[in-house]
Amino acid sequence: MHSSLRSLAPLQNRAAALLDALREVTGPGGTVVVPTFTPENSRTSSAYLAAVRGLGPTGRTEYHRRMKPFDPATTPSATGLFTEYLRTSENAVRSAHPQTSFAAVGPLADFLTADHALNCHLGEESPLSRLYDAGALVLLIGVGYGRCTAFHLAEYRYHENPPSQEYQAVVLDRGERRWRRFRDIRLDDSDFELLGKEMEQEVPVAHDTFFGSELRMFALRDAVDFAKRWLRDVRIHHETSQDAVH
């Protein structure tokens, strides 16, 4: 689920009301999952690059020293107020990735968030792959397709060798602050809005409103399968065209 609490009509305790509504709709057998990403722990995120822009070597060294290490139990989510509310709610469980963790509440929470590999932001060894296998639904409330994390799973599947890069993140490891380096695919959500609009021509998407905010719901598996085909057509064609130009 992705949401913008600010998009909801005036409502007391919006985060609590939203989670209560979701738990009521899904029932005792349902599990609610949200991304709880933390780009501030990384030396490769856009948030980090913006923060150190213009700093000299001394300034960067000092900034690195002050960067707080990721701790799944305490590091706040940077992906919206509702995600932080869910992360800190009773019986919530969080995956351990220092940049792209997920939090969940419900009977499948432990299974969905376990063993999130360091070198797999949002691929086969992440909660997204388990959500795909479990037949999850994607819910967007007050946000566009550019926020649809599910599409990232298709980035791991549309190409045998998708573009990759090195990542660095600072973590809390057995009480000590450490930097972790790993290689993974280069994530790119710049075309997700267009992808989502074209997906609606083929994939069933339920439209509704929730306290004045636009709501869209669709099957995660359908979205990923469509995105895999779309990315193969659009990105590979673009890459081939660029190679031909150069």
Side-chain angles (χ1 to χ4, degrees):
M1 175 185 167
H2 302 270
S3 64
S4 168
L5 289 184
R6 293 186 181 88
S7 73
L8 303 180
L11 178 68
Q12 190 173 13
N13 299 323
R14 293 179 185 182
L18 179 54
L19 183 56
D20 287 345
L22 288 169
R23 299 304 301 273
E24 182 178 349
V25 169
T26 58
T31 301
V32 181
V33 185
V34 295
T36 50
F37 298 169
T38 48
E40 68 275 11
N41 306 301
S42 164
R43 280 186 184 173
T44 44
S45 69
S46 57
Y48 165 81
L49 295 175
V52 300
R53 188 173 295 121
L55 295 180
T58 302
R60 289 197 177 213
T61 299
E62 177 60 20
Y63 185 86
H64 294 162
R65 189 188 65 79
R66 290 186 284 106
M67 288 173 69
K68 293 183 179 180
F70 175 76
D71 178 2
T74 61
T75 302
S77 167
T79 45
L81 297 173
F82 179 72
T83 67
E84 178 62 5
Y85 178 81
L86 186 144
R87 182 191 76 81
T88 56
S89 64
E90 187 177 6
N91 297 321
V93 183
R94 188 186 201 179
S95 71
H97 198 283
Q99 290 179 259
T100 51
S101 64
F102 288 76
V105 289
L108 289 180
D110 286 307
F111 167 74
L112 292 170
T113 58
D115 303 320
H116 190 167
L118 178 65
N119 63 344
C120 189
H121 281 288
L122 300 166
E124 307 305 332
E125 296 180 83
S126 78
L128 274 185
S129 179
R130 292 192 177 99
L131 287 165
Y132 179 96
D133 293 338
L137 297 173
V138 177
L139 184 63
L140 305 178
I141 300 180
V143 299
Y145 287 111
R147 295 275 297 277
C148 182
T149 301
F151 290 151
H152 284 298
L153 181 57
E155 290 191 290
Y156 289 77
R157 299 181 174 185
Y158 85 97
H159 196 295
E160 288 185 8
N161 235 343
S164 66
Q165 69 176 71
E166 182 181 271
Y167 293 89
Q168 297 180 44
V170 61
V171 302
L172 192 66
D173 181 14
R174 287 172 283 191
E176 294 190 19
R177 187 175 183 275
R178 301 180 187 276
W179 283 95
R180 291 284 184 259
R181 295 173 181 263
F182 59 98
R183 193 161 194 86
D184 196 11
I185 75 164
R186 185 180 302 126
L187 300 170
D188 178 10
D189 60 9
S190 62
D191 51 8
F192 282 7
E193 279 293 344
L194 176 60
L195 194 170
K197 290 177 182 177
E198 296 197 8
M199 181 189 75
E200 288 199 353
Q201 307 304 312
E202 294 189 24
V203 171
V205 177
H207 292 261
D208 209 331
T209 57
F210 181 79
F211 286 96
S213 184
E214 182 183 10
L215 180 153
R216 283 176 283 196
M217 185 172 67
F218 47 92
L220 185 146
R221 185 175 298 168
D222 290 346
V224 172
D225 290 348
F226 176 86
K228 178 182 175 181
R229 297 192 302 271
W230 191 90
L231 292 173
R232 184 182 295 141
D233 291 341
V234 173
R235 290 194 184 175
I236 291 181
H237 174 74
H238 176 73
E239 292 162 7
T240 302
S241 299
Q242 290 292 100
D243 289 342
V245 170
H246 296 297

